[in-house]
Amino acid sequence: MDARVKQIVKVGILVFSCIVLVYTLRTLYYSDQLIKVQSVAFPGILRIGSWSSSSWEPGGTTVQDETGNDGASPTEEVVRPAAASGPFSVNRRATVGKVTIITGGPNPTYERALKTHRRHDRLHGYPLYVLRQGILESVWSKPAYILSLLLKELSRPESERLKWLLWFDADTVIMNPQIPLEIFLPPADNFDEIHLLVTNDSNGLNNGVFPIRVHPWSVELMSAIISFPILRPDTRIKFRDQSALEELITHEARFSKHTMHVPQRWFNAFQSGMMFNETIAPHEIRRGDLLVHFAGTTERETKMSNWMDLAEQHLPEWELDLKSTSYEGEIRTFWAAKQAEIDAARQHRLDVVDAATALISAVEAHLVAFGNQLAANQTGNITQHLHDLRLQILPDQQQQQQISNDGATEVNITLIAQAADSLKEATAPLLVLVEQAQKQAVREAHDAIFDAESVLMQMPDPTGVNNGRLTSEVQNVRERIEKLKELSVQRPGEMESIKAGTAALRVLCGGLRGGVMKGGVE
């Protein structure tokens, strides 16, 4: 087992152990066997303890939700609204859950912001998960907590699971609770392979708010983020978990192909320079938008307070119903454009495969015709490159085949193009022979055309009008001449067609010459 595999195993064991320990402690608490946890379980990595604020009882008592606590731990708040009145919440189970973390002691500003989310959750029936105590060091609790919730949901029967989790940073304020989260999710018909939606700001990726699908892929992604500092200690991650996520979805194909970048304003809008300035940038919040995020803001608490004052007024010009906002049209246009891009990419992929397949067929035909004129090493080199290109197009049965939503085998276009270029380079000696043969075929075609036209010129009546027996022969010869001219001038590479056309013209010419001679005798 190499060092990298050992590292992966160690990290996997550590993450799993952390999760097991957290839920073991939770179970002990509800068995009245644990009153308070104050110890440090893993120095510098895992910290578990109870925290109290104005909304928590000393000793880690969990805030009660509206339908019972659903087994939440003393360090976790779970709220499941008893009823929902939003358009996506009628007679159905919740499919989206919301997740955040508030740690570090009492923070009235963040608690006040969280209340704006609670109203949104009640309206649409979204369960809310709030981690009140860090799991891992600093910001790494974020992917760790998301991972724990993903595992918990995946352990449920599929019919009872949440389908998506929406992470939101604590410095976000819901401005329009009328907006359901479901409208942002990928359309199910053609985008069921998209598991993560992200947004960028001026610094690159901003992971302050993002929806992630409850899926094994998401477990892999969160695990990769947590283990990133250990497995890639030499990679600079300026914004820690955020930069780790950006590295993974940018440079790792297994993660990038299931991630979609969407407009920032959809669900991660920043504040505008002036609260009521209607001339705003594309990333800034507009009236009717879902929320405002105060990432990297100076005087954050003051600015959040100003926006919460506005949100708590529930002004009709801000709390627009969905149809009165620009969301539906923008989202529909966005996904239609993405579908067009996917269709174009799929067609390009098919074109590349078709071109490579045609190249294989042409080289194989040339080898049959001229391979005996090549040196043995030249033939072997071409044969090997033919094999390499076939492997890129038609994977061996042992290779993993991934099927796209149109049923076609996904292929690496870059590798196919490289294999095709290598084959073309290897066939250079063969192409010299082919080119020589093509030139010879064209010369023979020109000779046949010259001979046929000479025969027509020698006829007493070239049109054959006055000699009914020769009219059809003359017409056939003229048609053959024109077809052969077109082939030899416009398609000189179609050697076999040129040869066949030349032979047919010579046969017709011989018949016509014989008919003229007989006509002259008569």
Side-chain angles (χ1 to χ4, degrees):
M1 184 181 295
D2 58 31
R4 179 176 176 83
V5 173
K6 288 182 179 179
Q7 283 184 319
I8 294 174
V9 171
K10 288 180 180 179
V11 172
I13 293 173
L14 176 60
V15 172
F16 180 78
S17 299
C18 292
I19 294 170
V20 170
L21 181 57
V22 169
Y23 284 98
T24 300
L25 292 173
R26 184 187 70 179
T27 302
L28 290 172
Y29 176 86
Y30 282 98
S31 301
D32 293 325
Q33 298 179 42
L34 179 67
I35 299 175
K36 190 174 183 181
V37 180
Q38 294 177 325
S39 63
V40 178
F42 293 95
I45 299 294
L46 177 65
R47 302 189 306 274
I48 302 177
S50 59
W51 174 82
S52 61
S53 71
S54 57
S55 59
W56 288 70
E57 296 296 331
T61 303
T62 307
V63 173
Q64 292 297 310
D65 58 57
E66 298 175 23
T67 61
N69 187 47
D70 192 35
S73 72
T75 58
E76 180 187 35
E77 174 187 358
V78 179
V79 179
R80 294 185 181 277
S85 57
F88 286 82
S89 303
V90 179
N91 297 323
R92 59 102 173 148
R93 292 181 59 87
T95 58
V96 181
K98 294 172 64 177
V99 187
T100 194
I101 295 176
I102 301 179
T103 61
N107 190 317
T109 301
Y110 286 171
E111 296 297 337
R112 184 182 173 194
L114 188 60
K115 288 182 179 179
T116 67
H117 284 273
R118 295 184 194 279
R119 182 165 179 256
H120 182 236
D121 302 338
R122 286 194 298 272
L123 182 61
H124 301 283
Y126 302 135
L128 173 65
Y129 300 87
V130 184
L131 184 66
R132 296 287 183 172
Q133 175 67 47
I135 299 175
L136 301 182
E137 184 179 17
S138 186
V139 297
W140 300 100
S141 288
K142 177 175 177 175
Y145 187 43
I146 295 173
L147 174 61
S148 71
L149 293 174
L150 288 169
L151 292 171
K152 182 178 180 181
E153 288 301 318
L154 287 170
S155 70
R156 301 177 187 272
E158 188 171 357
S159 61
E160 299 177 12
R161 295 176 193 165
L162 294 171
K163 306 303 181 186
W164 289 80
L165 298 176
L166 178 87
W167 169 269
F168 64 93
D169 282 356
D171 60 345
T172 57
V173 176
I174 293 287
M175 297 302 298
N176 186 0
Q178 302 295 329
I179 303 301
L181 300 176
E182 288 85 348
I183 65 166
F184 303 117
L185 302 180
D189 293 341
N190 299 318
F191 296 93
D192 55 355
E193 292 300 313
I194 299 300
H195 304 322
L196 174 67
L197 302 182
V198 295
T199 62
N200 281 3
D201 60 23
S202 58
N203 294 314
L205 177 73
N206 183 287
N207 71 340
V209 187
F210 61 88
I212 186 168
R213 194 188 296 270
V214 175
H215 190 277
W217 176 92
S218 303
V219 172
E220 294 180 5
L221 178 62
M222 291 299 115
S223 300
I225 294 172
I226 296 169
S227 61
F228 197 94
I230 300 173
L231 299 183
R232 300 189 186 182
D234 297 329
T235 302
R236 181 174 181 268
I237 46 176
K238 181 179 180 180
F239 300 111
R240 295 178 291 181
D241 67 307
Q242 179 171 281
S243 296
L245 173 58
E246 185 169 24
E247 282 285 325
L248 291 168
I249 65 174
T250 301
H251 302 297
E252 296 284 344
R254 65 188 298 181
F255 295 127
S256 62
K257 68 180 181 179
H258 297 293
T259 301
M260 182 71 73
H261 286 76
V262 301
Q264 182 183 351
R265 215 198 82 247
W266 281 10
F267 50 73
N268 194 17
F270 287 176
Q271 61 176 336
S272 55
M274 298 178 62
M275 287 184 62
F276 302 104
N277 182 14
E278 296 299 331
T279 306
I280 53 181
H283 64 278
E284 294 176 346
I285 189 169
R286 304 175 188 175
R287 297 174 191 267
D289 286 355
L290 174 66
L291 61 74
V292 57
H293 182 199
F294 297 87
T297 303
T298 59
E299 301 179 353
R300 177 179 290 150
E301 292 192 358
T302 299
K303 293 176 181 178
M304 286 183 66
S305 180
N306 291 336
W307 281 88
M308 287 187 288
D309 288 344
L310 180 62
E312 290 164 357
Q313 295 179 51
H314 308 301
L315 299 175
E317 60 267 30
W318 277 93
E319 296 189 359
L320 301 173
D321 64 86
L322 176 60
K323 293 188 178 299
S324 299
T325 70
S326 61
Y327 274 136
E328 287 187 314
E330 290 179 15
I331 292 171
R332 184 167 51 249
T333 299
F334 174 86
W335 289 113
K338 290 300 177 182
Q339 184 62 55
E341 291 177 11
I342 291 171
D343 292 342
R346 182 181 299 127
Q347 185 59 52
H348 176 59
R349 183 174 70 246
L350 294 175
D351 292 343
V352 169
V353 173
D354 288 346
T357 303
L359 175 62
I360 290 174
S361 298
V363 172
E364 289 176 335
H366 294 332
L367 276 178
V368 171
F370 305 102
N372 59 348
Q373 302 179 43
L374 294 172
N377 65 325
Q378 292 175 328
T379 303
N381 189 34
I382 293 172
T383 302
Q384 180 60 51
H385 283 87
L386 277 170
H387 176 72
D388 293 343
L389 183 54
R390 286 195 198 96
L391 285 182
Q392 295 301 331
I393 300 175
L394 303 172
D396 290 334
Q397 292 182 351
Q398 292 80 12
Q399 290 181 295
Q400 180 68 27
Q401 294 188 6
Q402 296 178 324
I403 306 302
S404 63
N405 56 11
D406 66 345
T409 301
E410 290 186 356
V411 291
N412 190 319
I413 296 177
T414 301
L415 293 180
I416 287 181
Q418 291 172 350
D421 289 341
S422 297
L423 176 59
K424 291 175 183 177
E425 183 178 348
T427 57
L430 179 61
L431 293 179
V432 170
L433 298 175
V434 173
E435 185 178 359
Q436 292 173 352
Q438 289 175 344
K439 289 180 178 179
Q440 180 60 31
V442 170
R443 282 195 295 269
E444 292 177 359
H446 289 169
D447 290 343
I449 291 170
F450 179 79
D451 290 344
E453 289 179 336
S454 296
V455 170
L456 291 177
M457 293 296 294
Q458 293 171 10
M459 291 179 60
D461 183 0
T463 64
V465 174
N466 296 325
N467 191 336
R469 292 186 306 102
L470 300 178
T471 301
S472 61
E473 287 86 343
V474 170
Q475 184 62 30
N476 285 341
V477 169
R478 290 190 180 281
E479 289 177 358
R480 287 287 181 179
I481 289 173
E482 293 305 315
K483 289 181 179 179
L484 193 54
K485 283 181 177 179
E486 178 187 355
L487 275 173
S488 60
V489 174
Q490 298 183 13
R491 293 177 286 169
E494 298 183 16
M495 184 170 53
E496 295 304 319
S497 297
I498 292 174
K499 286 182 176 181
T502 299
L505 180 58
R506 288 196 180 281
V507 170
L508 287 173
C509 246
L512 182 60
R513 184 181 288 109
V516 171
M517 292 179 64
K518 289 180 181 180
V521 172
E522 293 175 355

